[in-house]
Amino acid sequence: MVISKIKNMMVTEQGLALDTICHFLEEHNQLWEEQVSHGDTSVQKLLEFLNLDPKQAADKAYLFHIYGLILRECSSEEQVQCHLLSLLELSHQHSSQREGIALAVGLASTKHLHEVWALLEHLGRTKFLRSAAASPDNKDEILKSSFLSAAILLTRSLRKEYGSQRYKFTQIPDLIQCLLDILQKEPNFLTTFFRQKVILVIVALSNLRPGLKPMLKSQVLKTCLHSVYKLPSTEALKRVWVSAFSEEVKGDQPVLYKKTIRALDLLLQNFISEDPSMDEVCFLLQHMEHWLKSGKSHERCRAVQSIFLLLQYVVESLKLAKEAMPSMLGHQIGLLTLLWQDKNKSTQQQSLHCVFLLMQLMCQQKGNLVESTHWSKMKPFETMESRDWEMKLYHMVKAFRRTLTVAQHTQLVLTLVHSLGSWNDLRCSLAAQLLLMICEEPGFRKEQVAEILQGLFQELPNIHSRRVQETISKATMALGIQHTQEVVEVILSLCHPPERWILLLWKALAINYHLSRDVITLLYIKMKLRPPRSLLPSAYHARLVSLMALGTIYELLYTPEYKDAVRWAFAGILMGLLTELYYLLEVGLVEGILDYQEDNLASKPRGPCRTCLEALKGLFWTNQYWEVFADVKLIQGWELFEQMETFPKGVSLLARAMAYYNCEIKSVLGQALISLKSTEERDNIVAICIITEFLNSPDASRYMSQKAVDNSLNLGLSNRNQTVRAMSLKGLGSTLMHPNKATLLRNKLMELSDNFLQPEFKDPVGMMEIMGHLLHCLGVQGVGIVSFKIAQQLLSLFTDERAKVRECAIFLFGDVIYYGGKKFRQSLKILALRAAVPLLFHMVDPCPEVAIKAKSTFLRCAILLKWEFRKELFSRLAWGQGQGAANDIFVYMIESNFGSYQQFLSQALMYLDSPHKTLKLAAMRFIGGLLQDYFTDLCFHLTKDDVTILKNYLEALSHDTDSRTQKFYLNYWDDVLELFQYVMS
């Protein structure tokens, strides 16, 4: 009856009726909580006209209902808009008043949806937002409540209205944005159902057309999740609720919290229902990731609970579209898996359920119903601390590999990798445990290796736990065992070898000895990938693989974990480094070859050529073949490797030292014979230089027959390279190929030695050079008895006034004792000891060349005599500077020759008459050192004749006008007198 009356009213009558009601409501807004005792006559007349009881004018809720009915039946859009605006301008102070406004708006929207929607949108974007920004007082709250009430009723009416789904609501994004703005400004505690209502309205709006775009949906998820998950823990919420609970909330606080959480769950379920697919599942879980990694237990717990309820809903209520499964699901499974040992038991259990549900969904997607049923029946294991726990983890690792795609499995592993540096010890420990299990599982996919290792490399700087680092090493080793070549290539490409974190990965591969050998072999092969010069400029800037392999080998030489593997591959590495160095010289990559400070331990090689040369040196030094290194160093042989022209000579000197010290003869000779057959010219040059020198070794015949040598050298004669042909011819003339030649050479040496010191002999330097050549031809087969005679003759030339004669005599003396042979070694030791003091003094000879040769021969004497601290002695000879180094050499010499004081002293006294000031000063320092540091020993070992000679020599110095001589005399005269008196008594 009332509806028909309203429909029959004219538009002007409807407008007048609306004005009447609105005016009445506005006048009595302050008395809203109480029923009005007297009615307004105009309102009463309106009610009478509608055949209603005039007394109902006192019931404002009833008037709002009538207002809404009139608006609904109004045919004028302008009038609807106008009166809707008037309605919304009324006071929103009381909840009943807000409900009345919302009721009227809801009734009007059933037939004037567009106008109602537009007005609410306008209200949200203008009046509400301005008010919220400008007035944080109670008026803002009232306005928000009114706006939300209207939105709720609007969505309710739309849900009931048939055909609303065919309508396109273009204002949805703006209205949702208004709701999100409200939600963001909510305080971080619960005292009202406001959060729940906002989320539920968004749920209803998201069901309308058109659907929410991904960006808006993402914003909705972020805002809603943050608003709910960021709430304090339930215990803290209870404390807040007790002190400040809203009158609107009639239930208790747990109900308020549960309803708010339930609204959020409905939002998630609504989104997945609109798009039932694994892509949408992944999309929703992506927004949960931040909360799964939260540092607050209650936030993680809320996120896991939401995911569990969402996945449970999907499994039980939806049928997902079959399509390719997104790889990011592997990452999300990884995050959930890492919560299996969370401190919160509920989080543990629900995260387990979540993983099982996801695995069940993926099996369904693949059409594997048997596996899906298996997952659905699995009960998450309840105990977390038992032997059974590790076994179940192992089964889960196998299940991950079986069920997940390669991309998903990779994302899972990367998630574990990036959790290794986590602040959470439990998560970090579980990540390390799972990572190791996955990498040790047979059948690890080759295509995953690169991403996993790159992830490990990025994460290593963040890992400070030694236990986790050890786990990473084991995992890297496991990968290396399964895919050695791929692992080596990836680590090689990650960074320059000196990088600390890269070395950790290389060290990990050395845990297994066989793997470390494979690594060295692969690096050796990579080093041989040398592009021709025409392709070098562009390839070099792109980091040549051979140079990266070279740099890595250089570092691994000094890495203790690779010591045994390097020793095993010594011959291959040696040949590789020699040919690589020749290649670098050949193509002109010589930057930094000359400006390297070898005596600076902190100095790193600069440039590939210098790196290669230092690696070559390091190969001998780190493998305890330091005598070879030292021998080449002190005769300045390493410098020969710095230029193409002198490179072959450098290889020959190195091979000569190796032959003498029996350094890897068999393996290197085998490699050289192979290289001689190579098509690469540089391989042939290196090989023939080594073979020719090794022919002088008595061990060569043990490892290679004369026929094989003959074939190899004849092959070298046909080589296109002149150096190879010349060296092959030299090898064919060796004493190994012609044993009778050794006797002829020895006889020639005897003849030369007989004529050596004859007065009429004019060219001692030339003669010594010839004798040196004959010594080298005889090699370590031994010079014979003539060596002792030659050594004696050379000793007398150490003090020759001609610098070149001293130089050649000292150097040839070193060769004589070097090649003297085992049979005469004891006799040569006597001469070597006699030469020690003169050689020590000649290290400061005014001629630099003499000084260098003196150091080389001094070390050869020390090695022959088997002094202590020989390696340390070499270090001081090679790199020591100043008086400190000189003192160390003096101590090594004296301490290694206990009881030789009389011999050393008598030799030193002879040099007090030297015409060279540096030699005379060296003698005074030596004598002073004996008197100062070994006075007691001198008392027991010197005879009366010895101390008399010493006293006479010092008395003679008293007349010397040189200031340093006078100082020496004054400093030690009293010591000499005391020594004289003690021995004479």
Side-chain angles (χ1 to χ4, degrees):
M1 185 68 178
V2 175
I3 303 301
S4 61
K5 278 278 188 180
I6 293 174
K7 285 182 177 180
N8 292 329
M9 293 173 68
M10 298 176 61
V11 173
T12 54
E13 290 176 331
Q14 290 174 338
L16 182 61
L18 290 169
D19 285 338
T20 300
I21 296 173
C22 188
H23 179 72
F24 175 81
L25 292 173
E26 189 173 10
E27 278 189 348
H28 298 90
N29 60 9
Q30 299 298 327
L31 302 173
W32 183 261
E33 291 302 316
E34 300 176 5
Q35 292 293 323
V36 182
S37 59
H38 60 280
D40 186 283
T41 56
S42 59
V43 173
Q44 289 177 345
K45 288 180 181 179
L46 175 61
L47 294 176
E48 288 177 1
F49 172 75
L50 296 174
N51 295 325
L52 297 172
D53 185 358
K55 294 180 180 179
Q56 289 184 318
D59 186 357
K60 292 185 178 60
Y62 187 71
L63 294 178
F64 275 115
H65 181 76
I66 298 299
Y67 194 96
L69 291 176
I70 297 172
L71 277 176
R72 187 182 68 180
E73 303 303 329
C74 188
S75 58
S76 171
E77 292 181 359
E78 288 186 9
Q79 187 157 277
V80 170
Q81 291 175 346
C82 177
H83 288 286
L84 270 175
L85 187 59
S86 299
L87 176 69
L88 293 172
E89 290 291 339
L90 292 174
S91 171
H92 297 245
Q93 184 172 359
H94 299 288
S95 59
S96 299
Q97 198 165 2
R98 294 194 293 273
E99 290 174 4
I101 294 171
L103 174 64
V105 171
L107 289 170
S109 67
T110 56
K111 288 191 177 179
H112 301 286
L113 182 60
H114 187 273
E115 290 77 10
V116 170
W117 198 278
L119 192 64
L120 285 175
E121 178 194 358
H122 175 74
L123 175 67
R125 284 190 289 104
T126 57
K127 184 173 181 180
F128 163 66
L129 291 180
R130 285 198 304 269
S131 174
S135 55
D137 55 11
N138 192 44
K139 292 182 180 179
D140 178 39
E141 293 300 315
I142 294 170
L143 186 58
K144 285 194 299 183
S145 297
S146 180
F147 175 76
L148 185 59
S149 298
I152 291 171
L153 288 174
L154 175 63
T155 54
R156 285 178 184 171
S157 64
L158 287 174
R159 190 167 58 245
K160 296 176 182 177
E161 185 68 20
Y162 177 76
S164 65
Q165 289 300 323
R166 292 176 296 180
Y167 186 83
K168 192 171 183 179
F169 300 94
T170 57
Q171 303 92 344
I172 287 178
D174 292 326
L175 189 54
I176 287 180
Q177 190 62 59
C178 295
L179 292 167
L180 294 179
D181 289 337
I182 295 173
L183 201 57
Q184 287 174 335
K185 294 178 175 65
E186 276 294 283
N188 194 33
F189 54 84
L190 275 178
T191 56
T192 69
F193 286 110
F194 206 83
R195 276 185 177 80
Q196 178 208 13
K197 291 179 180 178
V198 169
I199 295 173
L200 290 175
V201 171
I202 293 174
V203 170
L205 293 174
S206 68
N207 288 322
L208 301 176
R209 291 181 63 246
L212 304 186
K213 292 184 178 180
M215 188 173 293
L216 179 59
K217 190 186 293 186
S218 181
Q219 189 178 0
V220 168
L221 287 168
K222 288 177 182 177
T223 305
C224 293
L225 291 174
H226 185 275
S227 181
V228 176
Y229 290 166
K230 264 296 181 181
L231 289 171
S233 63
T234 51
E235 294 76 13
L237 283 172
K238 288 177 182 177
R239 291 194 295 271
V240 173
W241 178 72
V242 169
S243 60
F245 202 79
S246 170
E247 295 179 4
E248 295 183 37
V249 182
K250 304 304 181 183
D252 58 3
Q253 193 271 344
V255 172
L256 176 60
Y257 173 74
K258 287 178 181 179
K259 287 192 174 183
T260 304
I261 289 290
R262 178 58 183 159
L264 183 62
D265 293 334
L266 288 174
L267 175 70
L268 297 172
Q269 292 175 13
N270 187 70
F271 281 163
I272 192 62
S273 298
E274 291 173 359
D275 182 13
S277 66
M278 288 301 285
D279 282 329
E280 186 68 11
V281 170
C282 185
F283 175 78
L284 296 176
L285 294 184
Q286 275 182 298
H287 291 83
M288 304 283 199
E289 290 179 13
H290 170 76
W291 305 102
L292 293 177
K293 295 184 286 187
S294 171
K296 296 181 179 179
S297 177
H298 66 277
E299 292 178 358
R300 297 195 302 273
C301 186
R302 288 167 181 169
V304 171
Q305 185 181 27
S306 294
I307 294 173
F308 169 66
L309 293 174
L310 172 66
L311 295 175
Q312 192 175 49
Y313 172 76
V314 172
V315 170
E316 295 176 356
S317 306
L318 298 178
K319 184 175 178 60
L320 301 184
K322 287 190 176 181
E323 55 188 22
M325 292 182 288
S327 61
M328 282 305 293
L329 274 174
H331 169 63
Q332 290 150 0
I333 289 175
L335 291 178
L336 289 165
T337 302
L338 290 173
L339 295 174
W340 288 358
Q341 284 194 328
D342 194 88
K343 291 181 179 179
N344 185 297
K345 295 295 182 182
S346 175
T347 302
Q348 288 181 7
Q349 292 299 318
Q350 291 196 329
S351 62
L352 283 164
H353 280 288
C354 290
V355 172
F356 291 153
L357 290 170
L358 278 171
M359 299 293 279
Q360 184 180 350
L361 284 173
M362 282 186 281
C363 290
Q364 290 175 0
Q365 290 293 95
K366 289 182 176 182
N368 192 338
L369 298 179
V370 175
E371 189 74 11
S372 173
T373 304
H374 169 73
W375 282 107
S376 66
K377 291 181 178 179
M378 283 189 70
K379 293 182 179 179
F381 26 104
E382 298 175 358
T383 57
M384 299 296 174
E385 298 176 358
S386 66
R387 290 173 54 192
D388 199 32
W389 164 247
E390 287 197 6
M391 182 56 65
K392 287 174 179 176
L393 280 184
Y394 173 72
H395 288 307
M396 285 301 299
V397 165
K398 294 178 73 70
F400 287 150
R401 188 180 302 283
R402 185 174 61 248
T403 306
L404 301 180
T405 65
V406 175
Q408 289 172 340
H409 192 266
T410 302
Q411 290 300 318
L412 167 65
V413 179
L414 286 175
T415 302
L416 300 177
V417 167
H418 294 309
S419 300
L420 294 174
S422 172
W423 51 267
N424 188 313
D425 291 339
L426 291 174
R427 187 178 305 177
C428 181
S429 176
L430 181 57
Q433 188 178 8
L434 285 169
L435 177 65
L436 181 58
M437 285 183 172
I438 289 173
C439 291
E440 289 180 337
E441 176 71 15
F444 194 91
R445 284 115 171 178
K446 187 184 299 184
E447 55 267 40
Q448 295 178 270
V449 171
E451 288 190 74
I452 303 307
L453 286 175
Q454 287 168 358
L456 276 174
F457 176 64
Q458 293 170 3
E459 199 61 37
L460 275 172
N462 304 322
I463 299 170
H464 305 293
S465 167
R466 179 62 61 87
R467 183 172 51 82
V468 174
Q469 287 182 353
E470 290 173 357
T471 302
I472 291 175
S473 296
K474 292 177 183 177
T476 305
M477 181 196 69
L479 290 178
I481 291 173
Q482 294 188 55
H483 303 290
T484 309
Q485 183 169 341
E486 289 75 13
V487 169
V488 169
E489 289 176 351
V490 172
I491 299 179
L492 200 59
S493 67
L494 285 175
C495 190
H496 291 297
E499 171 64 47
R500 172 191 170 195
W501 308 113
I502 281 293
L503 279 177
L504 285 178
L505 296 181
W506 287 120
K507 288 178 181 179
L509 298 179
I511 297 173
N512 182 290
Y513 174 61
H514 296 289
L515 178 58
S516 67
R517 287 169 43 160
D518 292 340
V519 169
I520 292 295
T521 303
L522 283 169
L523 289 173
Y524 166 73
I525 294 171
K526 297 290 182 186
M527 192 167 61
K528 296 187 71 174
L529 299 177
R530 303 162 183 144
R533 188 165 191 168
S534 58
L535 300 178
L536 187 61
S538 59
Y540 176 54
H541 292 301
R543 297 174 72 203
L544 283 176
V545 173
S546 65
L547 297 186
M548 291 189 289
L550 167 63
T552 302
I553 287 175
Y554 171 79
E555 291 295 329
L556 298 189
L557 290 175
Y558 296 94
T559 304
E561 290 82 355
Y562 279 91
K563 180 180 179 181
D564 293 337
V566 168
R567 188 64 173 265
W568 169 81
F570 184 94
I573 296 174
L574 174 64
M575 298 300 293
L577 291 173
L578 286 171
T579 52
E580 176 75 1
L581 183 55
Y582 191 92
Y583 165 76
L584 295 172
L585 292 170
E586 193 176 34
V587 298
L589 292 176
V590 294
E591 180 185 358
I593 187 68
L594 299 175
D595 57 355
Y596 176 69
Q597 296 180 337
E598 190 181 63
D599 57 343
N600 184 358
L601 297 178
S603 177
K604 288 285 184 181
R606 291 185 296 173
C609 210
R610 175 49 69 178
T611 299
C612 190
L613 180 53
E614 294 308 312
L616 184 62
K617 297 177 185 179
L619 180 63
F620 291 92
W621 186 261
T622 58
N623 282 280
Q624 300 306 311
Y625 294 125
W626 68 268
E627 294 98 339
V628 177
F629 175 89
D631 196 72
V632 178
K633 169 68 178 175
L634 292 179
I635 60 174
Q636 297 180 303
W638 294 118
E639 284 80 351
L640 299 173
F641 288 95
E642 296 174 357
Q643 297 181 18
M644 282 282 291
E645 296 75 16
T646 56
F647 183 87
K649 186 178 179 182
V651 178
S652 295
L653 285 177
L654 177 62
R656 188 176 300 168
M658 291 176 66
Y660 181 81
Y661 290 106
N662 194 24
C663 172
E664 303 284 345
I665 300 294
K666 180 180 180 179
S667 58
V668 174
L669 186 58
Q671 287 287 332
L673 290 171
I674 295 171
S675 295
L676 194 59
K677 300 175 184 177
S678 170
T679 57
E680 294 285 349
E681 194 171 283
R682 67 181 74 93
D683 291 347
N684 304 152
I685 293 172
V686 170
I688 195 63
C689 290
I690 291 174
I691 291 171
T692 304
E693 288 298 330
F694 277 11
L695 292 178
N696 293 326
S697 168
D699 297 317
S701 59
R702 292 168 48 197
Y703 307 130
M704 186 172 61
S705 67
Q706 187 170 341
K707 183 179 179 181
V709 175
D710 188 62
N711 291 338
S712 297
L713 294 175
N714 279 303
L715 176 66
L717 289 176
S718 60
N719 195 284
R720 63 179 181 271
N721 184 273
Q722 183 179 353
T723 302
V724 176
R725 294 197 302 270
M727 295 296 288
S728 298
L729 189 61
K730 179 182 176 183
L732 285 168
S734 67
T735 55
L736 180 66
M737 304 302 293
H738 304 279
N740 294 332
K741 191 176 179 179
T743 303
L744 295 173
L745 292 174
R746 290 191 187 99
N747 291 337
K748 187 62 180 176
L749 269 175
M750 182 68 75
E751 179 185 337
L752 292 174
S753 67
D754 290 340
N755 300 323
F756 186 40
L757 297 180
Q758 297 299 323
E760 66 274 9
F761 194 74
K762 303 294 184 183
D763 185 15
V765 172
M767 179 64 74
M768 285 188 283
E769 288 177 350
I770 294 172
M771 295 173 74
H773 177 70
L774 294 176
L775 285 171
H776 293 153
C777 290
L778 283 167
V780 290
Q781 296 183 49
V783 178
I785 193 170
V786 70
S787 60
F788 187 79
K789 180 180 180 181
I790 295 173
Q792 283 182 313
Q793 293 170 337
L794 292 172
L795 273 173
S796 64
L797 295 177
F798 282 14
T799 56
D800 195 282
E801 62 182 10
R802 294 163 293 182
K804 191 63 180 177
V805 173
R806 295 199 305 275
E807 177 190 352
C808 291
I810 288 173
F811 188 64
L812 185 58
F813 183 86
D815 279 349
V816 171
I817 65 169
Y818 194 63
Y819 295 115
K822 295 181 180 178
K823 190 174 180 180
F824 301 95
R825 189 163 292 170
Q826 193 59 41
S827 300
L828 291 172
K829 283 184 177 180
I830 297 171
L831 296 179
L833 189 61
R834 283 176 54 189
V837 170
L839 290 172
L840 178 67
F841 295 166
H842 282 286
M843 290 182 201
V844 292
D845 195 281
C847 176
E849 287 75 16
V850 176
I852 291 172
K853 298 300 189 297
K855 288 183 178 181
S856 172
T857 302
F858 186 81
L859 182 64
R860 284 182 169 179
C861 291
I863 293 173
L864 177 65
L865 295 167
K866 295 184 179 180
W867 289 358
E868 296 182 51
F869 314 110
R870 294 187 296 278
K871 192 173 183 180
E872 293 78 4
L873 172 62
F874 160 67
S875 296
R876 299 300 184 275
L877 291 171
W879 302 295
Q881 295 178 353
Q883 192 57 42
N887 290 338
D888 289 341
I889 295 171
F890 168 78
V891 170
Y892 296 150
M893 177 182 172
I894 300 300
E895 293 293 335
S896 300
N897 295 278
F898 180 77
S900 300
Y901 306 108
Q902 186 271 341
Q903 180 180 330
F904 288 166
L905 184 60
S906 62
Q907 290 174 313
L909 290 173
M910 294 172 58
Y911 274 84
L912 291 177
D913 298 326
S914 174
H916 304 293
K917 291 184 178 180
T918 55
L919 298 179
K920 182 177 179 180
L921 180 61
M924 289 191 292
R925 285 176 177 166
F926 184 84
I927 296 169
L930 286 176
L931 290 170
Q932 182 176 344
D933 299 330
Y934 297 92
F935 185 86
T936 304
D937 295 320
L938 292 176
C939 291
F940 287 99
H941 288 88
L942 294 185
T943 65
K944 294 180 180 180
D945 291 338
D946 294 331
V947 295
T948 301
I949 294 171
L950 175 62
K951 180 173 175 292
N952 293 337
Y953 262 98
L954 254 70
E955 282 180 332
L957 291 179
S958 64
H959 305 294
D960 198 314
T961 57
D962 181 70
S963 60
R964 287 179 294 186
T965 305
Q966 283 294 315
K967 183 178 180 181
F968 169 72
Y969 169 78
L970 294 173
N971 285 342
Y972 296 103
W973 176 245
D974 291 340
D975 292 331
V976 171
L977 285 180
E978 185 180 350
L979 178 64
F980 179 81
Q981 292 170 0
Y982 182 85
V983 174
M984 287 300 184
S985 62

